[in-house]
Amino acid sequence: MSSNTFFVVMVLGVALVAAEEDSRGERSVTTDYHDYSKLCESQPNKFICVNCKTMVQCVKGQAFTRHCIENHYCSMKPEFGGGVCYPDEPKACKCEKANSFRVDPYDPQRFFSCKNLVTPPVNYKCPDGMVFDEASAQCQTGNGLPQCTEAGTFANPANCSVYYSCIGLRHGWLQKSFQCNSGLMYNKEKGVCEDPCLYQFVCKQEGRYPDLLNQQNYFECYMLGGKLRQLRYSCPEGYRWDEISAGVGQCVEDHDKNASKGAFFGCDIPDGFCPGS
């Protein structure tokens, strides 16, 4: 897959709402009573940056917006008395790496994509109530949890010691988060916090065996120097390990998306987390 194709897939894979302020030729100052008027209530006469491409001038508590032209970004400069649309500054609003995403330094709900270091970045906005997380390149709820898309209780894939419930409302979702006790992670199959080390595989004889924590993985057990050793391998993406008989199996296509993937599938369990691992 080419880098361009990969970049397009990344953009399509994130739940986004296109930003409204990407009008590069706009120089006029217009009133804005809805989005930014509250910002001017506490600072009636000031120039402020509300995002990388938008400056707001507060006059007697009223907000006037200016959209920065191409290659200009809103920069806080004391010599101008506050925010100003300035060429190629600040660096936090510019692309520093191709095929990447950056969060807007003024507004965590907004972010921009960098296809390369030549063309201007493209601005986006996460849905209301969500902020952009650079590490995962996804919009997340303010508490760092994934967006609810179905009712149920789920482990937080970034930290499986945290789990959350999603309750459907007439308009949107009610999300609540919970914390497992130290050393425990949420097992969705059982609906309880549990020690993942209980599912730790230990070789008993030579062969290939499934990983009970993640059905995409399997173990190879072999003798070396008179001792039984084990190594963990992964099937390709979209495949799972299918056990044919004890010690024998193969990677097969995973057609059933609703089938169990393992007690802690998707959880990051660091090497050495379990004693003796």
Side-chain angles (χ1 to χ4, degrees):
M1 180 182 294
S2 67
S3 60
N4 288 339
T5 303
F6 174 74
F7 186 74
V8 171
V9 172
M10 285 184 65
V11 173
L12 294 177
V14 183
L16 309 176
V17 176
E20 300 172 353
E21 69 280 358
D22 194 23
S23 53
R24 309 190 189 282
E26 184 63 58
R27 289 179 178 269
S28 63
V29 178
T30 57
T31 57
D32 191 335
Y33 297 97
H34 304 290
D35 294 336
Y36 307 121
S37 58
K38 290 184 179 180
L39 296 176
C40 293
E41 291 177 357
S42 59
Q43 38 194 359
N45 298 289
K46 197 171 184 179
F47 293 90
I48 57 178
C49 293
V50 293
N51 59 63
C52 283
K53 297 297 292 183
T54 306
M55 185 205 72
V56 166
Q57 180 181 1
C58 298
V59 180
K60 294 183 179 181
Q62 185 174 346
F64 295 83
T65 60
R66 176 185 296 169
H67 300 294
C68 300
I69 62 174
E70 188 172 346
N71 296 328
H72 285 59
Y73 306 94
C74 194
S75 181
M76 296 299 296
K77 289 186 172 293
E79 59 269 34
F80 284 86
V84 59
C85 288
Y86 202 83
D88 295 325
E89 289 188 21
K91 289 184 178 180
C93 289
K94 295 186 63 181
C95 293
E96 294 185 338
K97 183 180 179 182
N99 295 334
S100 64
F101 296 94
R102 298 195 71 182
V103 65
D104 190 302
Y106 303 110
D107 184 353
Q109 187 180 358
R110 297 175 183 270
F111 65 101
F112 52 95
S113 63
C114 301
K115 185 176 182 180
N116 52 55
L117 303 183
V118 179
T119 58
V122 179
N123 299 285
Y124 297 95
K125 181 180 178 182
C126 293
D128 290 342
M130 304 189 76
V131 297
F132 185 73
D133 176 60
E134 282 190 357
S136 62
Q138 293 184 359
C139 293
Q140 297 184 341
T141 57
N143 54 11
L145 296 174
Q147 183 181 15
C148 288
T149 57
E150 60 178 311
T153 304
F154 313 92
N156 179 10
N159 178 8
C160 288
S161 64
V162 175
Y163 62 102
Y164 62 98
S165 63
C166 293
I167 302 173
L169 303 177
R170 179 174 295 181
H171 302 288
W173 297 89
L174 173 63
Q175 185 182 74
K176 294 184 178 180
S177 63
F178 307 91
Q179 176 74 53
C180 293
N181 292 331
S182 179
L184 303 183
M185 295 184 178
Y186 185 73
N187 183 340
K188 181 184 176 182
E189 291 184 344
K190 293 185 177 180
V192 297
C193 291
E194 200 171 26
D195 182 1
C197 298
L198 295 174
Y199 296 85
Q200 182 182 11
F201 178 80
V202 178
C203 283
K204 301 296 183 182
Q205 60 185 18
E206 288 190 315
R208 292 190 175 99
Y209 301 90
D211 182 354
L212 298 179
L213 294 172
N214 186 340
Q215 291 189 5
Q216 187 179 346
N217 300 334
Y218 64 94
F219 289 92
E220 286 189 359
C221 302
Y222 59 95
M223 295 297 296
L224 179 65
K227 292 185 178 181
L228 198 58
R229 312 281 182 163
Q230 67 183 53
L231 289 175
R232 183 175 60 187
Y233 295 93
S234 293
C235 294
E237 193 66 33
Y239 286 73
R240 62 176 176 82
W241 183 255
D242 180 45
E243 187 176 37
I244 300 173
S245 61
V248 179
Q250 60 185 350
C251 291
V252 298
E253 288 188 77
D254 189 4
H255 296 293
D256 189 354
K257 295 183 179 181
N258 297 318
S260 169
K261 309 299 181 188
F264 297 94
F265 177 77
C267 293
D268 180 19
I269 302 176
D271 291 337
F273 179 85
C274 297
S277 61

